[in-house]
Amino acid sequence: MATEKRTRRPSPVSVPRNAEFDAALATVMRTGMNQSDAVRLAVRFLAHGLESAWAAGAVPAGTVPLNMRVQVQRQDTPQAADQQV
């Protein structure tokens, strides 16, 4: 009989919260995400940006760029009836 392999669940991450963090979190949550999903997205987003910067040779691997920017493709969404021109 095969033994069941148990996987350890990662321990939760704790971060000190302040007004700046809470404001940033509230902004991300305006998309409808809960707190956990918002933090997960933020970490993945930053990790992707760092990996891209390192792979492009923009900064040495393992360092944080002084400035990073985001390029956003315009997404046309229907306007509410009272906002149509």
Side-chain angles (χ1 to χ4, degrees):
M1 185 171 177
T3 58
E4 181 180 326
K5 183 177 180 180
R6 292 182 180 231
T7 56
R8 292 191 69 179
R9 187 175 177 176
S11 63
V13 175
S14 176
V15 295
R17 293 175 65 168
N18 58 25
E20 182 181 16
F21 178 90
D22 287 344
L25 182 59
T27 298
V28 178
M29 290 177 63
R30 285 176 54 194
T31 64
M33 286 184 236
N34 62 36
Q35 288 182 357
S36 295
D37 290 340
V39 171
R40 281 187 200 97
L41 175 64
V43 170
R44 284 193 316 264
F45 185 80
L46 179 58
H48 177 75
L50 291 171
E51 289 285 349
S52 294
W54 298 337
V59 293
T63 64
V64 178
L66 296 176
N67 293 301
M68 291 177 68
R69 69 177 179 192
V70 176
Q71 185 173 356
V72 179
Q73 182 177 357
R74 183 174 186 86
Q75 179 178 336
D76 292 324
T77 55
Q79 291 183 329
D82 63 341
Q83 295 181 355
Q84 290 181 356
V85 183

